[in-house]
Amino acid sequence: MQEAIDYLSEKSPIFQAIIQEYGLPPIPKRPQGFETLVLLILEQQVSIDSAKATFLKIKAYTICSPETLAILPDEDFRTLGVSRQKTAYIKILALAILNNEINIESLATKSAKEVREELIKLKGIGNWTIDIYLMFCLQEPDLIPLGDIAVVNTIKELLDIHDKTEMEKLTSEWSPYRSYATYLLWHYYLKKRKRTITY
């Protein structure tokens, strides 16, 4: 991690400033597999805490496996606080696994590009979800999710860059450690707002 921090600090003074004010960021880690993808679907466009509460309700109610969730009635999902749209996405994922259209275990052996090509085929799994899975589960070191509101808002705030193309150009200079840049930006975003989350 120190190598990444040194590299990023050379590229942009904002990273050293974040560390001086708030310390080093946590490196998020989650287990690979179906459960994490379900949690990521739940996290789309809502807070991590809210999604986690719903995820824990599902796990308390039934086994969180493709076999179980593929046949769980939609009404049960609604009772657990899952929207109709996200229920559909979870079932699409579960059925893709059961029908051998996707093998989640094999993703760890593939490149980030191959993982993206495989997961993007599934309705309900977009680039943000794939970015987070690659970073949290497969420890991909060089990704920045520019579909993430906290990342985008922090870049706007600290660097006064508001154009998406300009953001892409700037963040490409942080390669090959863009994931670490993301962790630092999230760290700043949360600390400044005095928020604590558990990944």
Side-chain angles (χ1 to χ4, degrees):
M1 184 179 181
Q2 193 55 51
E3 188 181 317
I5 299 292
D6 292 344
Y7 179 86
L8 292 168
S9 299
E10 257 181 54
K11 290 285 179 185
S12 178
I14 64 160
F15 295 115
Q16 203 51 52
I18 291 170
I19 293 164
Q20 280 169 359
E21 189 158 358
Y22 297 119
L24 292 171
I27 305 298
K29 285 191 177 139
R30 286 185 182 170
Q32 297 172 35
F34 175 73
E35 280 199 9
T36 295
L37 280 168
V38 169
L39 177 55
L40 287 172
I41 288 170
L42 295 173
E43 282 176 357
Q44 292 167 7
Q45 298 175 321
V46 301
S47 74
I48 283 181
D49 291 339
S50 163
K52 195 170 184 182
T54 304
F55 180 66
L56 292 173
K57 278 187 200 168
I58 293 172
K59 289 192 69 170
Y61 184 75
T62 189
I63 298 162
C64 187
S65 70
E67 293 80 3
T68 308
L69 297 191
I71 59 169
L72 191 70
D74 288 9
E75 302 75 51
D76 291 23
F77 274 106
R78 266 198 293 288
T79 304
L80 295 164
V82 184
S83 71
R84 187 177 280 107
Q85 192 177 44
K86 288 185 180 179
T87 297
Y89 295 162
I90 290 168
K91 289 194 169 191
I92 287 166
L93 170 64
L95 287 167
I97 292 167
L98 294 174
N99 294 332
N100 295 317
E101 291 164 25
I102 185 168
N103 180 342
I104 292 182
E105 283 69 37
S106 74
L107 297 180
T109 66
K110 296 181 177 176
S111 69
K113 183 172 179 284
E114 288 169 330
V115 170
R116 190 176 305 281
E117 284 168 356
E118 196 154 335
L119 289 177
I120 204 80
K121 293 175 194 166
L122 300 174
K123 190 178 180 188
I125 295 188
N127 282 312
W128 178 85
T129 304
I130 296 165
D131 286 344
I132 304 302
Y133 191 84
L134 281 163
M135 290 164 69
F136 287 18
C137 304
L138 303 178
Q139 303 304 302
E140 170 59 42
D142 192 29
L143 272 177
I144 186 153
L146 290 176
D148 186 274
I149 291 169
V151 168
V152 169
N153 286 347
T154 304
I155 290 172
K156 285 177 181 174
E157 182 183 336
L158 295 179
L159 294 158
D160 196 28
I161 293 173
H162 298 262
D163 178 73
K164 193 77 176 276
T165 309
E166 276 189 56
M167 281 187 195
E168 284 169 0
K169 189 177 168 189
L170 170 83
T171 57
S172 69
E173 294 171 13
W174 300 341
S175 183
Y177 296 115
R178 284 176 291 182
S179 298
Y180 293 93
T182 303
Y183 303 143
L184 281 157
L185 296 173
W186 277 335
H187 191 49
Y188 171 88
Y189 182 88
L190 291 166
K191 287 287 184 184
K192 190 169 183 204
R193 289 156 182 77
K194 296 183 168 54
R195 283 180 54 200
T196 304
I197 60 169
T198 309
Y199 293 109

